Tab-separated table of all heavy atoms in Angstrom:
chain	number	residue	atom	x	y	z
N	1	ARG	N	131.191	-6.826	-65.883
N	1	ARG	CA	130.736	-5.750	-64.996
N	1	ARG	C	131.373	-5.829	-63.610
N	1	ARG	O	130.780	-5.381	-62.620
N	1	ARG	CB	129.206	-5.747	-64.898
N	1	ARG	CG	128.511	-5.508	-66.250
N	1	ARG	CD	127.010	-5.388	-66.103
N	1	ARG	NE	126.378	-4.966	-67.355
N	1	ARG	CZ	125.876	-5.790	-68.259
N	1	ARG	NH1	125.929	-7.101	-68.048
N	1	ARG	NH2	125.313	-5.332	-69.357
N	2	LYS	N	132.560	-6.387	-63.541
N	2	LYS	CA	133.325	-6.401	-62.291
N	2	LYS	C	134.293	-5.219	-62.335
N	2	LYS	O	135.498	-5.366	-62.495
N	2	LYS	CB	134.073	-7.727	-62.137
N	2	LYS	CG	133.136	-8.936	-62.059
N	2	LYS	CD	133.923	-10.237	-61.947
N	2	LYS	CE	132.969	-11.433	-61.874
N	2	LYS	NZ	133.705	-12.724	-61.792
N	3	TYR	N	133.716	-4.035	-62.199
N	3	TYR	CA	134.454	-2.820	-62.502
N	3	TYR	C	135.584	-2.523	-61.513
N	3	TYR	O	136.625	-2.003	-61.914
N	3	TYR	CB	133.491	-1.637	-62.596
N	3	TYR	CG	132.468	-1.813	-63.683
N	3	TYR	CD1	131.106	-1.789	-63.410
N	3	TYR	CD2	132.861	-2.038	-65.006
N	3	TYR	CE1	130.169	-1.960	-64.420
N	3	TYR	CE2	131.935	-2.224	-66.014
N	3	TYR	CZ	130.588	-2.184	-65.709
N	3	TYR	OH	129.664	-2.371	-66.707
N	4	ALA	N	135.391	-2.824	-60.253
N	4	ALA	CA	136.451	-2.569	-59.269
N	4	ALA	C	137.669	-3.429	-59.569
N	4	ALA	O	138.810	-2.946	-59.563
N	4	ALA	CB	135.936	-2.828	-57.858
N	5	GLU	N	137.443	-4.715	-59.848
N	5	GLU	CA	138.551	-5.621	-60.160
N	5	GLU	C	139.203	-5.238	-61.485
N	5	GLU	O	140.436	-5.249	-61.606
N	5	GLU	CB	138.040	-7.061	-60.224
N	5	GLU	CG	137.479	-7.589	-58.922
N	5	GLU	CD	136.858	-8.963	-59.093
N	5	GLU	OE1	137.531	-9.854	-59.657
N	5	GLU	OE2	135.694	-9.148	-58.696
N	6	ALA	N	138.387	-4.918	-62.464
N	6	ALA	CA	138.924	-4.545	-63.775
N	6	ALA	C	139.763	-3.281	-63.662
N	6	ALA	O	140.853	-3.189	-64.238
N	6	ALA	CB	137.792	-4.332	-64.775
N	7	ARG	N	139.276	-2.319	-62.906
N	7	ARG	CA	140.001	-1.055	-62.772
N	7	ARG	C	141.374	-1.280	-62.149
N	7	ARG	O	142.365	-0.673	-62.572
N	7	ARG	CB	139.191	-0.075	-61.930
N	7	ARG	CG	139.886	1.275	-61.793
N	7	ARG	CD	139.074	2.256	-60.996
N	7	ARG	NE	139.875	3.445	-60.750
N	7	ARG	CZ	140.090	3.974	-59.565
N	7	ARG	NH1	139.562	3.411	-58.484
N	7	ARG	NH2	140.830	5.056	-59.434
N	8	THR	N	141.443	-2.142	-61.151
N	8	THR	CA	142.745	-2.443	-60.536
N	8	THR	C	143.731	-2.953	-61.570
N	8	THR	O	144.898	-2.541	-61.607
N	8	THR	CB	142.574	-3.485	-59.413
N	8	THR	OG1	141.750	-2.938	-58.381
N	8	THR	CG2	143.927	-3.870	-58.817
N	9	GLN	N	143.258	-3.828	-62.449
N	9	GLN	CA	144.143	-4.378	-63.475
N	9	GLN	C	144.485	-3.324	-64.526
N	9	GLN	O	145.618	-3.279	-65.023
N	9	GLN	CB	143.496	-5.599	-64.117
N	9	GLN	CG	143.368	-6.773	-63.158
N	9	GLN	CD	143.160	-8.094	-63.876
N	9	GLN	OE1	143.398	-8.225	-65.074
N	9	GLN	NE2	142.733	-9.097	-63.121
N	10	PHE	N	143.530	-2.476	-64.860
N	10	PHE	CA	143.816	-1.422	-65.837
N	10	PHE	C	144.861	-0.446	-65.293
N	10	PHE	O	145.721	0.030	-66.041
N	10	PHE	CB	142.532	-0.674	-66.206
N	10	PHE	CG	141.616	-1.441	-67.115
N	10	PHE	CD1	140.249	-1.532	-66.833
N	10	PHE	CD2	142.103	-2.070	-68.254
N	10	PHE	CE1	139.403	-2.235	-67.674
N	10	PHE	CE2	141.261	-2.781	-69.100
N	10	PHE	CZ	139.901	-2.864	-68.803
N	11	ILE	N	144.792	-0.137	-64.010
N	11	ILE	CA	145.781	0.756	-63.408
N	11	ILE	C	147.171	0.138	-63.485
N	11	ILE	O	148.160	0.811	-63.821
N	11	ILE	CB	145.410	1.069	-61.944
N	11	ILE	CG1	144.160	1.947	-61.892
N	11	ILE	CG2	146.566	1.764	-61.214
N	11	ILE	CD1	143.611	2.172	-60.494
N	12	GLU	N	147.263	-1.147	-63.179
N	12	GLU	CA	148.552	-1.845	-63.258
N	12	GLU	C	149.082	-1.836	-64.683
N	12	GLU	O	150.274	-1.629	-64.923
N	12	GLU	CB	148.392	-3.282	-62.751
N	12	GLU	CG	148.097	-3.373	-61.258
N	12	GLU	CD	147.802	-4.791	-60.818
N	12	GLU	OE1	147.753	-5.692	-61.695
N	12	GLU	OE2	147.631	-5.011	-59.608
N	13	MET	N	148.193	-2.059	-65.659
N	13	MET	CA	148.604	-2.054	-67.064
N	13	MET	C	149.054	-0.675	-67.507
N	13	MET	O	150.033	-0.538	-68.244
N	13	MET	CB	147.442	-2.498	-67.955
N	13	MET	CG	147.191	-3.977	-68.001
N	13	MET	SD	145.916	-4.323	-69.218
N	13	MET	CE	146.655	-3.583	-70.674
N	14	ARG	N	148.314	0.335	-67.068
N	14	ARG	CA	148.672	1.710	-67.447
N	14	ARG	C	150.097	2.037	-67.022
N	14	ARG	O	150.854	2.658	-67.775
N	14	ARG	CB	147.684	2.682	-66.808
N	14	ARG	CG	148.068	4.144	-66.964
N	14	ARG	CD	146.925	5.066	-66.619
N	14	ARG	NE	146.369	4.862	-65.306
N	14	ARG	CZ	146.905	5.343	-64.173
N	14	ARG	NH1	148.029	6.041	-64.217
N	14	ARG	NH2	146.316	5.133	-63.002
N	15	GLN	N	150.479	1.600	-65.843
N	15	GLN	CA	151.826	1.853	-65.347
N	15	GLN	C	152.856	0.956	-66.033
N	15	GLN	O	153.926	1.408	-66.427
N	15	GLN	CB	151.864	1.632	-63.829
N	15	GLN	CG	151.040	2.629	-63.043
N	15	GLN	CD	151.517	4.056	-63.235
N	15	GLN	OE1	152.709	4.315	-63.384
N	15	GLN	NE2	150.577	4.996	-63.234
N	16	ARG	N	152.509	-0.296	-66.192
N	16	ARG	CA	153.462	-1.254	-66.748
N	16	ARG	C	153.860	-0.906	-68.173
N	16	ARG	O	155.025	-1.002	-68.551
N	16	ARG	CB	152.863	-2.663	-66.702
N	16	ARG	CG	153.798	-3.726	-67.281
N	16	ARG	CD	153.188	-5.102	-67.164
N	16	ARG	NE	154.111	-6.103	-67.683
N	16	ARG	CZ	153.832	-7.405	-67.754
N	16	ARG	NH1	152.673	-7.848	-67.315
N	16	ARG	NH2	154.712	-8.250	-68.252
N	17	PHE	N	152.871	-0.490	-68.979
N	17	PHE	CA	153.137	-0.219	-70.386
N	17	PHE	C	153.335	1.262	-70.678
N	17	PHE	O	153.305	1.687	-71.831
N	17	PHE	CB	152.000	-0.774	-71.250
N	17	PHE	CG	151.907	-2.272	-71.233
N	17	PHE	CD1	150.932	-2.912	-70.487
N	17	PHE	CD2	152.806	-3.045	-71.946
N	17	PHE	CE1	150.850	-4.293	-70.452
N	17	PHE	CE2	152.737	-4.426	-71.927
N	17	PHE	CZ	151.756	-5.056	-71.174
N	18	LYS	N	153.573	2.043	-69.656
N	18	LYS	CA	153.749	3.489	-69.833
N	18	LYS	C	154.863	3.844	-70.806
N	18	LYS	O	154.763	4.841	-71.532
N	18	LYS	CB	154.001	4.145	-68.475
N	18	LYS	CG	153.870	5.657	-68.500
N	18	LYS	CD	153.957	6.226	-67.097
N	18	LYS	CE	153.767	7.736	-67.114
N	18	LYS	NZ	153.814	8.304	-65.731
N	19	PRO	N	155.963	3.071	-70.868
N	19	PRO	CA	157.007	3.403	-71.853
N	19	PRO	C	156.535	3.396	-73.304
N	19	PRO	O	157.220	3.925	-74.175
N	19	PRO	CB	158.060	2.312	-71.611
N	19	PRO	CG	157.888	1.934	-70.188
N	19	PRO	CD	156.405	1.995	-69.957
N	20	LEU	N	155.377	2.781	-73.573
N	20	LEU	CA	154.865	2.732	-74.941
N	20	LEU	C	153.721	3.725	-75.161
N	20	LEU	O	152.982	3.627	-76.135
N	20	LEU	CB	154.360	1.313	-75.252
N	20	LEU	CG	155.383	0.189	-75.076
N	20	LEU	CD1	154.731	-1.152	-75.390
N	20	LEU	CD2	156.603	0.401	-75.956
N	21	VAL	N	153.596	4.699	-74.273
N	21	VAL	CA	152.410	5.534	-74.232
N	21	VAL	C	152.201	6.376	-75.491
N	21	VAL	O	151.086	6.804	-75.775
N	21	VAL	CB	152.445	6.462	-72.986
N	21	VAL	CG1	153.473	7.568	-73.147
N	21	VAL	CG2	151.071	7.040	-72.703
N	22	ASP	N	153.252	6.607	-76.281
N	22	ASP	CA	153.086	7.436	-77.472
N	22	ASP	C	152.718	6.654	-78.726
N	22	ASP	O	152.504	7.255	-79.779
N	22	ASP	CB	154.369	8.226	-77.743
N	22	ASP	CG	154.587	9.316	-76.714
N	22	ASP	OD1	153.586	9.945	-76.301
N	22	ASP	OD2	155.736	9.524	-76.296
N	23	LEU	N	152.657	5.333	-78.623
N	23	LEU	CA	152.283	4.529	-79.785
N	23	LEU	C	150.769	4.561	-79.985
N	23	LEU	O	149.998	4.627	-79.030
N	23	LEU	CB	152.737	3.085	-79.589
N	23	LEU	CG	154.251	2.873	-79.459
N	23	LEU	CD1	154.540	1.421	-79.140
N	23	LEU	CD2	154.966	3.296	-80.737
N	24	LYS	N	150.351	4.510	-81.225
N	24	LYS	CA	148.924	4.508	-81.521
N	24	LYS	C	148.263	3.285	-80.882
N	24	LYS	O	148.738	2.159	-81.009
N	24	LYS	CB	148.681	4.497	-83.036
N	24	LYS	CG	149.116	5.783	-83.728
N	24	LYS	CD	148.317	6.976	-83.239
N	24	LYS	CE	148.717	8.244	-83.972
N	24	LYS	NZ	147.996	9.438	-83.450
N	25	ASN	N	147.155	3.522	-80.186
N	25	ASN	CA	146.378	2.463	-79.545
N	25	ASN	C	147.242	1.573	-78.653
N	25	ASN	O	147.040	0.362	-78.573
N	25	ASN	CB	145.656	1.614	-80.589
N	25	ASN	CG	144.668	2.430	-81.395
N	25	ASN	OD1	143.935	3.238	-80.848
N	25	ASN	ND2	144.663	2.245	-82.702
N	26	ASN	N	148.192	2.204	-77.977
N	26	ASN	CA	149.073	1.430	-77.103
N	26	ASN	C	148.317	0.946	-75.876
N	26	ASN	O	147.310	1.545	-75.466
N	26	ASN	CB	150.266	2.296	-76.687
N	26	ASN	CG	149.840	3.422	-75.771
N	26	ASN	OD1	149.736	3.246	-74.562
N	26	ASN	ND2	149.565	4.601	-76.343
N	27	PRO	N	148.768	-0.140	-75.258
N	27	PRO	CA	148.028	-0.723	-74.133
N	27	PRO	C	147.957	0.175	-72.909
N	27	PRO	O	147.004	0.078	-72.133
N	27	PRO	CB	148.789	-2.020	-73.835
N	27	PRO	CG	150.124	-1.851	-74.463
N	27	PRO	CD	149.914	-0.980	-75.657
N	28	SER	N	148.927	1.054	-72.706
N	28	SER	CA	148.871	1.957	-71.560
N	28	SER	C	147.709	2.940	-71.700
N	28	SER	O	146.925	3.144	-70.764
N	28	SER	CB	150.179	2.731	-71.413
N	28	SER	OG	150.115	3.625	-70.310
N	29	THR	N	147.575	3.547	-72.873
N	29	THR	CA	146.489	4.503	-73.085
N	29	THR	C	145.137	3.798	-73.111
N	29	THR	O	144.139	4.322	-72.588
N	29	THR	CB	146.702	5.275	-74.396
N	29	THR	OG1	147.950	5.962	-74.334
N	29	THR	CG2	145.594	6.289	-74.619
N	30	LEU	N	145.078	2.617	-73.710
N	30	LEU	CA	143.832	1.862	-73.708
N	30	LEU	C	143.420	1.515	-72.280
N	30	LEU	O	142.243	1.616	-71.913
N	30	LEU	CB	143.986	0.577	-74.535
N	30	LEU	CG	144.029	0.754	-76.050
N	30	LEU	CD1	144.361	-0.570	-76.721
N	30	LEU	CD2	142.691	1.288	-76.573
N	31	ALA	N	144.389	1.113	-71.461
N	31	ALA	CA	144.088	0.791	-70.070
N	31	ALA	C	143.598	2.024	-69.330
N	31	ALA	O	142.658	1.949	-68.524
N	31	ALA	CB	145.334	0.220	-69.390
N	32	ALA	N	144.218	3.175	-69.592
N	32	ALA	CA	143.783	4.418	-68.949
N	32	ALA	C	142.365	4.774	-69.365
N	32	ALA	O	141.562	5.239	-68.545
N	32	ALA	CB	144.743	5.551	-69.310
N	33	PHE	N	142.046	4.553	-70.645
N	33	PHE	CA	140.686	4.836	-71.110
N	33	PHE	C	139.675	3.946	-70.399
N	33	PHE	O	138.643	4.426	-69.905
N	33	PHE	CB	140.590	4.626	-72.621
N	33	PHE	CG	139.168	4.630	-73.130
N	33	PHE	CD1	138.483	5.825	-73.282
N	33	PHE	CD2	138.513	3.439	-73.425
N	33	PHE	CE1	137.158	5.835	-73.728
N	33	PHE	CE2	137.198	3.448	-73.865
N	33	PHE	CZ	136.522	4.642	-74.022
N	34	TYR	N	139.949	2.646	-70.333
N	34	TYR	CA	138.988	1.739	-69.708
N	34	TYR	C	138.954	1.898	-68.190
N	34	TYR	O	137.952	1.544	-67.548
N	34	TYR	CB	139.264	0.297	-70.127
N	34	TYR	CG	138.714	0.025	-71.500
N	34	TYR	CD1	139.556	-0.051	-72.610
N	34	TYR	CD2	137.348	-0.106	-71.707
N	34	TYR	CE1	139.039	-0.253	-73.879
N	34	TYR	CE2	136.825	-0.316	-72.970
N	34	TYR	CZ	137.672	-0.392	-74.052
N	34	TYR	OH	137.149	-0.584	-75.307
N	35	GLU	N	140.000	2.454	-67.635
N	35	GLU	CA	139.950	2.827	-66.221
N	35	GLU	C	138.873	3.899	-66.026
N	35	GLU	O	138.079	3.838	-65.075
N	35	GLU	CB	141.313	3.350	-65.771
N	35	GLU	CG	141.355	3.786	-64.320
N	35	GLU	CD	142.660	4.466	-63.950
N	35	GLU	OE1	143.624	4.397	-64.750
N	35	GLU	OE2	142.710	5.082	-62.873
N	36	THR	N	138.829	4.888	-66.926
N	36	THR	CA	137.798	5.923	-66.826
N	36	THR	C	136.404	5.339	-67.028
N	36	THR	O	135.442	5.746	-66.375
N	36	THR	CB	138.026	7.057	-67.851
N	36	THR	OG1	137.819	6.580	-69.187
N	36	THR	CG2	139.431	7.639	-67.727
N	37	GLU	N	136.290	4.365	-67.912
N	37	GLU	CA	134.996	3.743	-68.151
N	37	GLU	C	134.511	2.955	-66.935
N	37	GLU	O	133.312	2.932	-66.629
N	37	GLU	CB	135.071	2.831	-69.374
N	37	GLU	CG	134.984	3.569	-70.696
N	37	GLU	CD	133.606	4.173	-70.898
N	37	GLU	OE1	133.378	5.304	-70.428
N	37	GLU	OE2	132.733	3.512	-71.489
N	38	CYS	N	135.441	2.305	-66.240
N	38	CYS	CA	135.064	1.593	-65.015
N	38	CYS	C	134.503	2.567	-63.985
N	38	CYS	O	133.516	2.273	-63.304
N	38	CYS	CB	136.279	0.867	-64.437
N	38	CYS	SG	136.782	-0.605	-65.350
N	39	LEU	N	135.123	3.725	-63.885
N	39	LEU	CA	134.658	4.737	-62.937
N	39	LEU	C	133.285	5.264	-63.337
N	39	LEU	O	132.394	5.415	-62.493
N	39	LEU	CB	135.674	5.877	-62.862
N	39	LEU	CG	137.010	5.526	-62.206
N	39	LEU	CD1	138.068	6.574	-62.540
N	39	LEU	CD2	136.841	5.397	-60.693
N	40	ARG	N	133.107	5.537	-64.624
N	40	ARG	CA	131.815	6.052	-65.087
N	40	ARG	C	130.718	5.035	-64.863
N	40	ARG	O	129.640	5.355	-64.335
N	40	ARG	CB	131.880	6.426	-66.573
N	40	ARG	CG	130.548	6.947	-67.114
N	40	ARG	CD	130.606	7.206	-68.602
N	40	ARG	NE	130.783	5.995	-69.391
N	40	ARG	CZ	129.790	5.147	-69.700
N	40	ARG	NH1	128.564	5.358	-69.250
N	40	ARG	NH2	130.035	4.081	-70.436
N	41	LYS	N	130.954	3.804	-65.248
N	41	LYS	CA	129.924	2.786	-65.144
N	41	LYS	C	129.578	2.444	-63.699
N	41	LYS	O	128.458	2.018	-63.411
N	41	LYS	CB	130.362	1.527	-65.898
N	41	LYS	CG	130.271	1.654	-67.420
N	41	LYS	CD	130.799	0.419	-68.105
N	41	LYS	CE	130.556	0.462	-69.608
N	41	LYS	NZ	129.149	0.242	-69.964
N	42	SER	N	130.517	2.625	-62.788
N	42	SER	CA	130.239	2.366	-61.379
N	42	SER	C	129.673	3.598	-60.679
N	42	SER	O	129.407	3.566	-59.477
N	42	SER	CB	131.507	1.887	-60.657
N	42	SER	OG	132.545	2.843	-60.751
N	43	GLY	N	129.494	4.696	-61.432
N	43	GLY	CA	128.876	5.884	-60.881
N	43	GLY	C	129.794	6.804	-60.110
N	43	GLY	O	129.333	7.742	-59.459
N	44	ASP	N	131.096	6.581	-60.190
N	44	ASP	CA	132.064	7.423	-59.470
N	44	ASP	C	132.473	8.591	-60.365
N	44	ASP	O	133.536	8.579	-60.993
N	44	ASP	CB	133.284	6.592	-59.066
N	44	ASP	CG	134.270	7.375	-58.205
N	44	ASP	OD1	134.042	8.586	-57.981
N	44	ASP	OD2	135.276	6.775	-57.769
N	45	LEU	N	131.639	9.626	-60.428
N	45	LEU	CA	131.920	10.754	-61.312
N	45	LEU	C	133.075	11.607	-60.807
N	45	LEU	O	133.791	12.211	-61.611
N	45	LEU	CB	130.657	11.605	-61.487
N	45	LEU	CG	129.473	10.894	-62.158
N	45	LEU	CD1	128.340	11.879	-62.406
N	45	LEU	CD2	129.896	10.232	-63.470
N	46	ASP	N	133.275	11.674	-59.499
N	46	ASP	CA	134.443	12.391	-58.971
N	46	ASP	C	135.723	11.681	-59.393
N	46	ASP	O	136.703	12.310	-59.794
N	46	ASP	CB	134.376	12.491	-57.443
N	46	ASP	CG	133.308	13.468	-56.973
N	46	ASP	OD1	132.982	14.405	-57.737
N	46	ASP	OD2	132.802	13.302	-55.850
């Protein structure tokens, strides 16, 4: 539940693995998904 720290790492991963973004369950898309979850769980709906 360290959502701010986790989100920072997910953002870095999303960018780092962006070249693989079209692969099924690729780490860039997974990181982008969990970035949204960090925002939701921390109450940042905007």
Side-chain angles (χ1 to χ4, degrees):
R1 299 185 172 94
K2 298 178 180 179
Y3 299 122
E5 297 174 51
R7 182 178 172 233
T8 297
Q9 293 199 16
F10 285 133
I11 291 173
E12 292 174 356
M13 282 186 57
R14 172 166 55 81
Q15 294 299 325
R16 179 178 182 182
F17 294 103
K18 194 173 182 178
L20 303 179
V21 72
D22 289 322
L23 298 175
K24 293 297 182 183
N25 298 317
N26 68 85
S28 179
T29 301
L30 286 173
F33 169 77
Y34 281 104
E35 179 187 348
T36 68
E37 280 292 87
C38 286
L39 291 164
R40 179 184 66 80
K41 285 176 173 287
S42 59
D44 185 356
L45 297 186
D46 288 334

